[in-house]
C-alpha cells in the first residue's frame, strides 16, 4: 500500500485509496462542494536559494533524498494523466525553487510531449533565470511568474535572508528579453515592505510587468504568522491610493484569485489576492502534487494521497487517475483561518508548492 506524507517531508504514514462514496461517475476532478480542479501545481523540489521569512526556516527545509523526489519522467506521466484523463488545462511548476532542479528543462520538455498544447508555466524567485530562460522556453515553457516583494535592496535582503535582489532583477530582464509575456510579479504583503509597495508598482509598470500583491497566509515554517500583524488588502489599497488612482476592474475570470484594479485609468493594472480577508476558496480550481508525489487538494489540508507508490508499483494510468479523483473528492470546503479552532498545516508553503 503506498505511503502518505502527513507532515514534515521525511515522515510518512500509510493509508489506502481515498473513498469515493457519493461521487458521481464523471472523468474530471470534482469535489463535494461543486468545484472542479483544472489548474495543476507541481512542486519539483523543496530546496530554495532564498529563505523568505513568510515561507522557509532560516536553515532551509530538511533535505529529501533524491530517490524520494519524482523524476522528470514521473512528473511528465502525471501531467499527461491530469490533462488527458482528468481535465487539467493549465500546469505550473513550483517549489521550493524550481530552478534548483538541474533537469527543469527536461521536466518541461517531457510534460510538453505528454500534454501537447497545454500551458506550462513556472513560479520562480528568478535567481539564475537569466542563464536558463532560453533552454526552458525551447523546452516548451509558456509563462513565468517571478516573486519579488520589494525593490529596496536592504528590505529584500532582510525579508529573504539573502542579498540577491540584483540576481532577481537580472532574471526578470532576461525573461522579458526572451519574449515571455505577460510577465507576472507576485509580492507577498508584509509590514516592513508595505511603505515600498507604491515604488514596486511604479517599477512594475515601467518594466512592463503585471504585479499582484498577495495577503500573507499562515504557511510559514516558523509559525510566526498572526492575524493582527498581517497586512490586509485594504491596508495596501490605502497605501497605493496615496500615489495612484485605483479603479476596481473585477476578476479576469471567476476562478482567478486576483481582483484587478486599473491604475490611473489604465491600461496598467494591479492585482490583489486577498486570500485571507476575502477568501476565494469557494471558487478554488487547484490540485497540487508535492515534490514527493502526493496529491494535496488544499494548501491547508494535511491530508495527502500518495501517487508515487502507484507510479513505482506498476499501476496503470486509469488506477492513478482513480486515486487522484478520490483525493479531490475529499477536498475540504475552505482554509478555515477565521475559525476559532484553526491549526496551520504541518507543511509550510515551500514544502507544499505555492
Ligand atoms: N520559489 C518560488 C517563488 O518564490 O516564486 C516558488 C515557490 S513559492 C512557495 C510560490 C509563491 O508562494 C511565491 O509567490 C511566494 O511569494 C508565495 N508564498 C510563500 N509563502 C507564502 C505565504 N506564507 N503567504 C502567501 N504567499 C506565500
Ligand atoms: Fe524560496 Fe519561494 Fe519560499 Fe521564498 S517563497 S523561500 S523563494 S520557496
Amino acid at each position: 500500500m503506498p505511503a502518505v506524507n502527513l507532515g514534515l517531508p521525511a515522515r510518512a504514514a500509510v493509508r489506502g485509496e481515498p473513498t469515493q462514496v457519493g461521487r458521481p461517475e464523471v472523468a474530471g476532478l470534482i469535489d463535494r462542494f461543486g468545484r472542479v480542479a483544472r489548474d495543476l501545481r507541481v512542486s519539483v523540489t523543496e530546496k530554495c536559494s532564498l529563505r523568505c521569512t513568510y515561507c522557509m526556516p532560516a536553515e532551509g527545509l530538511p533535505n529529501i533524498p533524491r530517490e524520494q523526489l519524482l523524476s522528470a519522467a514521473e512528473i511528465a506521466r502525471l501531467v499527461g494523466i491530469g490533462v488527458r484523463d482528468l481535465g487539467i488545462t493549465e500546469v505550473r511548476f513550483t517549489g521550493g525553487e524550481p530552478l534548483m532542479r538541474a533537469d527543469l528543462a527536461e521536466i518541461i520538455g517531457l510534460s510538453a510531449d505528454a500534454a501537447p498544447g497545454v500551458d506550462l508555466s513556472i513560479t520562480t524567485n528568478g535567481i539564475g533565470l537569466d542563464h536558463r530562460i532560453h533552454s526552458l522556453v525551447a523546452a516548451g515553457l509558456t509563462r513565468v511568474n517571478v516573486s519579488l516583494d520589494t525593490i529596496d535592496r536592504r528590505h529584500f535582503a532582510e525579508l529573504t535572508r539573502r542579498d540577491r535582489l540584483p540576481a532577481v532583477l537580472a532574471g526578470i530582464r532576461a525573461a522579458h528579453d526572451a519574449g515571455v509575456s505577460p510577465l507576472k510579479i507576485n509580492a507577498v504583503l508584509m509590514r516592513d515592505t508595505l511603505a515600498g509597495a507604491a515604488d514596486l508598482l511604479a517599477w512594475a509598470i515601467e518594466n512592463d510587468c503585471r504585479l499582484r500583491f498577495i495577503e500573507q497566509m499562515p504557511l510559514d515554517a516558523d509559525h510566526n504568522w498572526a492575524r493582527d500583524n498581517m497586512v490586509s488588502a485594504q491596508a495596501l489599497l490605502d497605501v497605493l491610493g496615496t500615489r495612484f488612482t485605483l479603479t476596481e476592474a473585477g476578476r479576469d475570470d471567476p476562478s482567478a484569485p486576483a481582483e484587478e484594479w486599473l491604475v490611473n485609468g489604465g491600461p496598467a493594472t494591479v492585482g490583489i489576492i486577498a486570500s485571507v480577508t476575502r477568501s476565494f476558496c469557494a471558487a478554488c480550481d487547484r490540485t497540487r502534487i508535492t515534490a514527493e508525489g502526493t496529491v494535496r487538494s488544499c494548501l491547508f489540508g494535511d491530508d495527502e494521497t500518495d501517487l508515487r507508490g502507484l507510479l513505482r508499483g506498476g499501476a496503470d494510468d486509469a488506477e492513478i487517475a482513480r486515486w487522484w479523483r478520490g483525493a479531490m473528492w475529499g477536498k475540504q470546503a475552505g482554509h478555515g483561518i477565521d475559525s476559532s479552532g484553526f491549526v496551520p498545516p504541518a507543511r509550510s508553503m515551500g514544502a507544499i508548492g505555492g
Side-chain angles (χ1 to χ4, degrees), residues 211-270:
L211 177 63
R212 299 177 320 167
F213 288 96
I214 307 169
E215 283 180 347
Q216 187 203 1
M217 294 181 278
L219 290 169
D220 56 314
D222 295 331
H223 295 297
N224 281 332
W225 182 93
R227 180 72 191 247
D228 293 347
N229 205 26
M230 193 202 99
V231 177
S232 67
Q234 189 52 54
L236 171 74
L237 286 169
D238 293 345
V239 166
L240 294 182
T242 62
R243 185 128 141 225
F244 304 98
T245 303
L246 299 178
T247 322
E248 209 165 347
R251 293 178 197 268
D252 283 348
D253 72 73
S255 66
E259 293 172 46
E260 298 293 334
W261 296 76
L262 292 176
V263 181
N264 295 339
T269 56
V270 61

Side-chain angles (χ1 to χ4, degrees), residues 14-25:
V14 174
R15 202 188 65 173
E17 181 174 353
T19 175
Q20 298 200 24
V21 173
R23 185 185 181 280
E25 275 292 318

